[in-house]
Structure formats: structure tokens, C-alpha cells
Amino acid sequence: MLKYFYREENMVNEKNIILVGLSNEFVKFGANLLAEKLGYYNLDVDSMLEYTLMDRIKMKQVCGVKYLDEQEKKVIKSLNDYEKTVMSIKLDTFAANIKSLQDNNMLVYLSFNKKQVKDLNKLLTNEFKTEITLNDLLFQEHDKYLKKNCDIILKCDINNIDESFNELIEKIK
């Protein structure tokens, strides 16, 4: 499942790490924290799409939806050429591009207990304005989808984030 190569005395994972979850802001926060801990680069995929494709609305109007989708797919496929990068990605972008992401990247679902949403909002307030307004149906559907499609499911303890990410690092190695 995971590919490794030998470099001096360390076993190093070849794959980049893509984090996805039910809170975009938490995923960005987690990607930054994990990249820092691993000494990897940090990339927000959706911000990269916005930057690379500049005016997506005008592109859609002038060139059409199909052309815009093709351009987005090219950018997503280019992510497979990155090395030592922790990437954050929104759930809808992940779902639309999962086939391009599965082969060359380690997909990690940053899961949390729905009861911890208030604690999550407290964690992110200094860093982000969080968008969490999860209803039962969406939470359950998205949770099930991500559990099915990710290589690693990290059950984050929002009250002990550092320990959760140390656990992830152990799973990755």
C-alpha cells in the first residue's frame, strides 16, 4: 500500500500527504501543523487553484465549464509531481478529483467527534473564522465517504491536537 525507499539510514515515505476533512479551516490548520512537524512544504490546493487559474468565473463564462474543469484537472494532476508536501484540500475538490489524487499521495481524513465542534471552534478562532455548521445528515454522509476513500483516518482529539498529530506521524512512518 505505501511505497518506501531507502535513503541513508532512514526509511522515507515517497508519497505526499493530502489532508481532507469536514472543516476546511481545521484541515488547513492541521496541514500547517503537520508540515511544520515533518519539515515538509505546506500547500493549500484550493488556494493554488485560485491562483493558477486566476479568474475562474470569467474563464467559465468565456471558455465554458468543460474547459474550466479540464484546466482544474491539469493543476490537480500536477500535484503528483510535488515532493515532501503536506496539502490541504476542500471536500468538494477532493471528491471531484479523487482518482487523480489516489495513486501518488497518502490521503488522510482528519476526523473528529461531532460533539467536539464547539471545542474545534475555540481552537480555530485565533487562526481562522471557522465555517462549521454541520447538520446530522451531512456530517454522517461526508464522514462515511471520507472513511471509505482515505488511506488513514486520524481521529483527532480536539483538546489534545499535538498528541493526535504525533499519532499521525507514527502511522505515516
Side-chain angles (χ1 to χ4, degrees), residues 2-170:
L2 299 176
K3 296 179 183 176
Y4 292 91
F5 63 94
Y6 189 75
R7 182 182 293 161
E8 294 179 11
E9 294 181 30
N10 299 321
M11 296 298 274
V12 180
N13 190 325
E14 282 183 22
K15 297 184 177 190
N16 292 311
I17 302 162
I18 297 180
L19 303 182
V20 63
L22 299 178
S23 163
N24 297 328
E25 308 309 335
F26 179 59
V27 171
K28 286 180 189 179
F29 172 82
N32 186 46
L33 180 64
L34 184 60
E36 212 172 274
K37 285 180 171 281
L38 293 173
Y40 278 27
Y41 297 103
N42 181 14
L43 174 69
D44 178 50
V45 173
D46 294 278
S47 294
M48 182 182 166
L49 282 169
E50 288 296 322
Y51 177 79
T52 305
L53 301 178
M54 294 294 209
D55 193 349
R56 293 164 85 181
I57 295 169
K58 187 168 185 169
M59 184 183 287
K60 186 177 177 180
Q61 291 171 341
V62 174
C63 304
V65 174
K66 186 177 178 181
Y67 180 78
L68 176 60
D69 287 345
E70 288 171 3
Q71 296 309 304
E72 286 180 354
K73 297 263 185 236
K74 285 180 186 178
V75 173
I76 296 292
K77 284 182 182 178
S78 75
L79 298 176
N80 294 321
D81 296 330
Y82 285 54
E83 294 180 0
K84 295 181 83 172
T85 305
V86 176
M87 301 176 202
S88 58
I89 190 168
K90 290 181 179 177
L91 177 57
D92 56 339
T93 307
F94 175 81
N97 296 285
I98 191 164
K99 290 186 189 225
S100 298
L101 298 171
Q102 283 177 321
D103 293 335
N104 298 315
N105 302 292
M106 184 181 310
L107 307 177
V108 178
Y109 169 30
L110 297 184
S111 168
F112 56 86
N113 186 315
K114 190 168 184 250
K115 294 175 184 173
Q116 289 190 312
V117 169
K118 286 182 183 176
D119 293 334
L120 178 62
N121 285 332
K122 288 177 193 171
L123 172 72
L124 297 174
T125 49
N126 294 338
E127 197 81 21
F128 302 102
K129 282 190 172 180
T130 184
E131 82 296 346
I132 297 188
T133 53
L134 301 170
N135 67 44
D136 288 332
L137 183 61
L138 285 178
F139 186 95
Q140 290 172 357
E141 281 182 31
H142 292 165
D143 182 63
K144 184 178 177 181
Y145 173 80
L146 289 170
K147 285 178 177 174
K148 178 183 171 190
N149 289 292
C150 289
D151 303 313
I152 295 176
I153 299 155
L154 179 66
K155 293 181 181 177
C156 297
D157 178 356
I158 301 305
N159 298 310
N160 195 352
I161 281 299
D162 209 44
E163 182 63 33
S164 295
F165 278 88
N166 288 339
E167 180 184 320
L168 176 58
I169 290 168
E170 288 302 314

